[in-house]
């Protein structure tokens, strides 16, 4: 397993953590280690975690650190090679056949090829990071297809031959774990389960993302969000919700609302499910008072 | 990787750690071991934490078994001996106030959860399953499942005689073959896919006579089709899908029996279903799925909690069936408060008194519509 040299200047997880911080992503040791190993070993990085813990953000930050563009492939049920790999421009091919008349043309030339994210990443492995987002939404057929791609980093286009990456591209996969991924996929990747951050780290994230938020507000919001996550809610607030809530409460406060009231009135940004709101409503005042203390 | 014939002696301790993980039911492939060693080399390693994290990243223990991984790590690398039990997996949700429902002894307090004391207090009954007696029904299920289990329209496309999309790829091929003349436009239609199914099995004391067969049936169903999730509930909620995926029936049922520790205890159905819905990952198994609850509905707790949970489950399910052994007699009318309360909420309230009856219902689901 060749150790790669294309992560110049980053020779340890700590160095990567620092670089990620400069790209506005606060990583903990676990994710910094996993990302560093993925880069150094040339393996894909598989990030799993609840919605809203910053999986996609992590991929963006890695791309920023490496100074590469991010190619994103959003998965959905029924996604297939035509949407992920390449597609021929059929109308154009048909027109070309018509126009050619008796002359012979190559309808499988470069001009008729539509590049999709995976092919694009394969052709520019040194200047792109491929993000395969929410792989758990895709079906098992696509997962199997992906397995092949991730082990050899090559694609065969029947009409043109095999496209091989000149070096191993950086690939990040994310999953919300709405279903169990195939063991073989986990095996191919460097794996990290992203948990909700500690209160300390989350408060720093909130302040970094929303500069208008005061430290005391950030801490109160993070404490409240932490309490909400321990409740049996159908949709627990993620980091993005915490940031939004803190920002909204700050805005209301600037408009003249008093503190606990500003939190309470903007709860809709943290809890977005009617039943969850109803469930928590009777205890909301106590919960907010406790969090603000 | 390099072709060196022998490994450096220092690597031995890491390889034996991998062996220890395997012995404890973690699936680790050889390529992961290779990556683990490479990762350790890359990281220095400057501390034990580096090794722990290298293992987490490369050996990829499933998150719900993280605590077991940590314990094994401590034992192996730090010589800790205080290993008790396999660690509590997150596939098991304990219900609040468990133990009040039936006649089992009171529980130890929360602080003592994973210890042996708690295990003893819960009077864990490990159950060995005998061979099934209802072979015919199971054989029928295996044979007819691919054809008759419920399906839904998927988003993947396939060629069809008619359909909403043009199959440009195929059409172009034909054009090339006919020198530029388009004779026929190929069509694409949506392919049918097996619908998700969720089976919730009541394993409490009142269902004792049926539990064994229900588990066998769940195993057969899991083997016959993809996209099936199986949970058991009593005083706990346990996901047994992973255990029942094992191919050999006896092995699978033993694994499940090992996991489920609330056999023949009390039951609080409402709390169990609430707990199920409160874990987002579990709740998503019910969305758009054919949900089947196999339970007599003898609720010892608050019937309104059960009604609320069933209502919520019914809203997210494609079709909710409640199979109860009490409905075996022809003129069945729900009598208990809880069953009367949920009668309007479930789509089917049917006989769950024999494997044959459950299998017939399962196989009839394919013809039914969403409700």
């Amino acid at each position: 397993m060749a150790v790669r040299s294309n992560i110049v200047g980053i020779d340890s997880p700590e160095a990567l953590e620092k670089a990620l911080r400069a790209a506005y992503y606060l990583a903990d040791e676990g994710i910094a280690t996993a990302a560093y190993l993925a880069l150094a070993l040339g393996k894909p990085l598989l990030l799993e975690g609840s919605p809203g813990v910053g999986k996609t953000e992590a991929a963006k930050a890695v791309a920023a650190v490496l100074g590469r563009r991010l190619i994103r492939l959003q998965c959905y049920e029924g996604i297939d090679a035509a949407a992920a790999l390449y597609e021929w421009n059929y109308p154009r091919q048909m027109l070309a056949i018509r126009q050619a008349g008796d002359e012979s043309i190559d309808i499988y030339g470069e001009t008729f090829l539509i590049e999709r994210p995976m092919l694009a990443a394969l052709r520019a492995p040194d200047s792109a990071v491929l993000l395969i987002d929410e792989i758990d939404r895709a079906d098992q057929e696509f997962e199997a297809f992906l397995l092949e791609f991730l082990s050899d980093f090559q694609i065969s286009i029947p009409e043109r031959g095999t496209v091989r990456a000149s070096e191993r591209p950086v690939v990040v996969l994310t999953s919300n774990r709405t279903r169990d991924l195939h063991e073989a996929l986990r095996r191919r990747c460097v794996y990290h389960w992203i948990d909700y951050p500690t209160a300390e780290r989350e408060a720093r994230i909130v302040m970094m993302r929303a500069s208008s938020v005061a430290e005391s507000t950030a801490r109160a919001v993070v404490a409240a969000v932490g309490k909400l996550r321990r409740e049996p809610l159908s949709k627990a607030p993620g980091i993005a919700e915490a940031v939004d809530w803190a920002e909204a409460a700050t805005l209301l406060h600037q408009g003249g609302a008093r503190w606990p009231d500003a939190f309470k009135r903007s709860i809709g940004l943290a809890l977005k499910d009617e039943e969850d709101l109803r469930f928590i409503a009777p205890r909301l005042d106590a919960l907010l008072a406790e969090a603000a203390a | 990787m390099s072709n060196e014939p022998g490994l450096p002696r220092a690597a031995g301790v890491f390889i034996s750690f991998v062996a220890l993980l395997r012995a404890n039911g973690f699936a680790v492939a050889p390529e992961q071991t290779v990556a683990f060693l490479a990762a350790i080399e890359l990281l220095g390693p400057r501390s034990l934490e580096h090794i722990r994290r290298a293992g987490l990243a490369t050996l990829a223990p499933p998150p719900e078994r993280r605590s077991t991984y940590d314990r094994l790590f401590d034992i192996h690398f730090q010589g800790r001996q205080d290993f008790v039990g396999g660690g509590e997996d997150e596939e098991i949700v304990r219900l609040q106030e468990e133990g009040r429902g039936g006649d089992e002894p009171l529980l130890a307090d929360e602080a003592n959860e994973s210890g042996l004391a708690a295990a003893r207090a819960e009077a864990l009954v490990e159950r060995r399953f005998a061979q099934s007696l209802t072979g015919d029904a199971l054989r029928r299920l295996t044979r007819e499942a691919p054809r008759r289990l419920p399906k839904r329209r998927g988003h993947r496309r396939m060629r069809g005689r008619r359909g909403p999309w043009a199959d440009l790829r195929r059409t172009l091929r034909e054009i090339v073959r006919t020198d530029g003349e388009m004779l026929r436009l190929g069509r694409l239609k949506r392919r049918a896919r097996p619908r998700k199914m969720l089976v919730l099995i009541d394993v409490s004391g009142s269902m004792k006579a049926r539990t064994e067969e229900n588990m066998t049936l769940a195993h057969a169903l899991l083997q016959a089709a993809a996209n099936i999730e199986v949970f058991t509930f009593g005083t706990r909620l346990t996901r047994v899908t992973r255990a029942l995926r094992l191919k050999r029936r006896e092995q699978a049922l033993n694994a499940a029996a090992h996991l489920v520790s609330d056999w023949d205890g009390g039951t609080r159905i409402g709390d169990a279903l609430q707990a199920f819905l409160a874990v987002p990952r579990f709740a998503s198994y019910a969305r758009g799925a054919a949900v089947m609850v196999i339970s007599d509905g003898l609720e010892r707790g608050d019937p309104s909690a059960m009604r609320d949970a069933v209502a919520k489950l019914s809203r997210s399910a494609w079709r909710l069936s409640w199979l109860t052994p009490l409905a075996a007699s022809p003129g069945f009318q729900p009598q208990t408060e809880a069953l009367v309360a949920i009668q309007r909420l479930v789509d089917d309230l049917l006989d769950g008194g024999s494997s044959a009856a459950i299998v017939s219902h399962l196989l009839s689901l394919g013809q039914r519509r969403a409700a």
Side-chain angles (χ1 to χ4, degrees):
Chain A
M1 205 162 291
V3 175
R4 290 198 315 180
S5 54
N6 65 349
I7 43 170
V8 226
I10 297 170
D11 56 357
S12 69
E14 289 77 15
L16 181 62
E17 192 185 332
K18 218 170 133 194
L20 286 171
R21 203 180 321 140
Y24 299 103
Y25 186 85
L26 294 180
D28 63 7
E29 296 92 350
I31 182 167
T33 308
Y36 170 72
L37 288 176
L39 291 173
L41 297 173
K43 281 174 173 268
L45 174 64
L46 171 58
L47 299 174
E48 266 194 325
S50 316
V53 292
K55 297 180 292 291
T56 309
E57 286 306 314
K60 286 182 186 161
V62 167
V65 163
L66 297 176
R68 300 178 178 193
R69 95 191 139 102
L70 186 76
I71 301 177
R72 178 172 169 173
L73 175 65
Q74 169 68 50
C75 294
Y76 50 89
E77 197 211 317
I79 187 172
D80 57 4
L85 264 189
Y86 71 93
E87 176 82 299
W88 293 107
N89 193 339
Y90 301 111
R92 214 164 158 186
Q93 281 176 322
M94 287 179 197
L95 267 175
I97 293 174
R98 291 264 162 169
Q99 282 172 349
D102 290 336
E103 289 166 49
S104 86
I105 56 151
D106 176 17
I107 57 161
Y108 292 114
E110 185 66 38
T111 44
F112 300 107
L113 190 67
I114 304 172
E115 219 176 53
R116 300 283 193 218
M118 282 164 74
L119 182 59
L122 214 55
R123 284 177 157 187
D126 52 350
S127 66
V129 171
L130 175 63
L131 167 63
I132 301 175
D133 218 0
E134 305 194 339
I135 174 70
D136 52 331
R137 282 172 185 252
D139 43 26
Q140 265 139 13
E141 286 97 324
F142 185 72
E143 215 176 294
F145 164 77
L146 201 59
L147 218 54
E148 202 187 324
F149 173 82
L150 291 178
S151 52
D152 301 333
F153 289 108
Q154 64 176 39
I155 289 170
S156 77
I157 302 175
E159 296 88 352
R160 282 170 67 95
T162 305
V163 182
R164 199 173 278 112
S166 55
E167 61 176 282
R168 295 182 144 242
V170 177
V171 182
V172 181
L173 298 98
T174 74
S175 158
N176 284 335
R177 204 151 180 257
T178 53
R179 64 179 177 85
D180 289 337
L181 297 180
H182 200 284
E183 280 295 332
L185 190 66
R186 291 160 49 92
R187 224 155 54 201
R188 295 272 143 87
C189 301
V190 171
Y191 178 84
H192 184 67
W193 170 260
I194 303 192
D195 234 326
Y196 288 116
T198 56
E200 176 63 31
R201 207 159 63 80
E202 189 166 13
R204 280 194 288 142
I205 294 172
V206 169
M207 283 185 286
M208 195 169 74
R209 293 271 146 160
S211 48
S212 65
V213 174
E215 185 169 347
S216 56
T217 315
R219 285 189 193 285
V221 161
V222 165
V225 162
K227 283 181 197 303
L228 287 176
R229 282 179 195 146
R230 280 192 291 276
E231 298 286 341
L233 301 174
S234 63
K235 171 75 184 77
I239 299 176
E241 275 81 15
V243 173
D244 290 349
W245 194 15
E247 246 181 338
T250 304
L251 224 79
L252 288 181
H253 177 62
Q254 283 162 357
R258 298 166 66 86
W259 261 129
D261 208 35
F263 284 132
K264 202 176 165 187
R265 277 165 54 190
S266 50
I267 183 86
L269 283 118
L271 292 182
K272 297 173 179 171
D273 183 289
E274 161 66 23
E275 275 180 34
D276 286 352
L277 280 171
R278 241 186 307 140
F279 174 78
I280 214 77
R283 283 177 297 132
L284 188 59
D285 285 325
L287 194 141
L288 287 176
E290 229 176 282
Chain B
M1 194 56 195
S2 54
N3 300 322
E4 57 201 22
L7 283 155
R9 200 174 305 157
V13 64
F14 303 122
I15 294 186
S16 60
F17 177 57
V18 171
L20 178 68
L21 285 180
R22 285 204 186 107
N24 281 278
F26 289 85
V28 182
E31 60 179 299
Q32 287 175 292
T33 314
V34 172
F36 180 42
L37 293 176
I40 291 168
E41 198 190 329
L42 264 171
L43 291 176
R46 278 157 290 148
S47 74
L48 217 48
E49 271 315 294
H50 279 120
I51 299 173
R52 187 195 301 272
R53 281 186 224 129
L56 278 175
T58 53
L59 306 175
E64 70 270 8
R65 298 201 65 193
R66 170 73 196 268
S67 62
T68 313
Y69 170 88
D70 279 341
R71 278 179 209 218
L72 290 171
F73 187 90
D74 290 345
I75 289 170
H76 191 77
F77 289 102
Q78 296 181 320
R80 288 244 181 94
Q81 294 298 320
D82 52 347
F83 185 70
V84 274
E88 185 93 317
D89 286 348
E90 278 171 32
E91 307 272 84
I92 300 168
V93 181
R94 287 151 176 269
L95 307 182
Q96 287 176 340
E97 305 172 77
E98 84 185 287
R100 271 218 329 224
D103 43 7
E104 73 266 286
L106 271 172
L107 270 189
D109 56 352
E110 291 281 301
N112 202 1
E113 277 221 321
S114 52
L116 278 176
R120 220 174 287 126
E122 256 174 308
L124 303 187
V125 188
E126 204 179 290
R127 169 175 282 224
R128 303 203 133 253
F129 288 98
Q131 291 286 344
S132 160
L133 303 167
T134 48
D136 281 348
L138 296 187
R139 269 193 293 282
R140 179 167 171 235
L141 178 66
T142 310
R143 199 172 54 236
E144 299 184 16
R147 247 180 331 118
R148 298 189 42 194
L149 284 183
K151 294 201 168 58
R152 65 180 175 85
R153 283 201 307 160
H155 290 274
R156 203 168 267 278
R157 296 168 188 185
M158 62 185 286
R159 58 158 70 184
R161 201 114 50 100
R162 49 170 80 182
W165 300 281
D167 185 351
L168 291 175
R169 189 179 195 112
R170 184 155 53 108
T171 308
L172 186 91
R173 287 253 161 90
E174 300 223 334
I175 288 178
V176 171
R177 209 173 298 144
T178 54
D179 282 332
E181 280 315 313
M182 186 165 85
L183 303 175
R184 196 176 53 212
L185 187 61
R187 310 297 304 185
L188 289 172
K189 64 175 184 186
R190 285 169 75 173
R191 191 193 293 177
R193 301 195 73 88
R195 185 173 285 281
K196 282 194 291 189
M197 294 183 84
L198 169 69
V199 186
L200 297 160
I201 302 175
D202 185 343
V203 295
S204 63
S206 56
M207 289 289 286
K208 194 172 177 177
R210 290 286 316 148
T211 302
E212 205 168 303
E213 286 194 17
N214 287 339
M215 293 298 283
T216 316
L217 186 78
H219 174 252
L221 183 63
L222 258 168
Q223 296 303 318
N227 283 338
I228 314 264
E229 286 290 335
V230 183
F231 288 76
T232 64
F233 64 92
T235 53
R236 293 176 174 190
L237 175 77
T238 312
R239 178 173 180 243
V240 289
T241 313
R242 211 182 267 259
L244 291 182
R245 271 209 197 109
L246 291 171
K247 205 150 209 111
R248 283 183 47 213
R249 182 192 294 167
E250 212 174 324
Q251 210 180 357
L253 294 180
N254 274 333
H258 199 75
L259 217 56
V260 181
S261 46
D262 50 349
W263 302 115
D264 309 341
T267 176
R268 300 169 68 85
I269 302 172
D271 288 350
L273 295 181
Q274 300 271 19
F276 174 83
L277 292 165
V279 181
R281 183 161 70 97
F282 293 170
S284 73
Y285 294 142
R287 202 163 301 138
V291 180
M292 246 178 325
V293 184
I294 306 181
S295 165
D296 50 15
L298 290 179
E299 173 68 320
R300 312 239 166 109
D302 179 10
S304 71
M306 178 166 155
R307 193 187 54 226
D308 290 349
V310 170
K312 201 168 173 187
L313 197 59
S314 166
R315 277 200 299 278
S316 73
W318 168 73
R319 194 176 180 94
L320 175 61
S321 315
W322 196 284
L323 304 177
T324 164
L326 305 177
S329 55
F332 166 72
Q333 277 299 320
Q335 298 292 330
T336 60
E337 196 183 346
L339 271 189
V340 172
I342 62 161
Q343 191 179 13
R344 290 160 164 274
L345 299 170
V346 300
D347 303 311
D348 307 293
L349 184 58
L350 292 168
D351 177 18
S354 67
S355 292
I358 299 176
V359 166
S360 314
H361 174 65
L362 272 173
L363 294 176
S364 74
L365 277 172
Q367 272 97 54
R368 287 173 201 256
R369 311 193 137 261

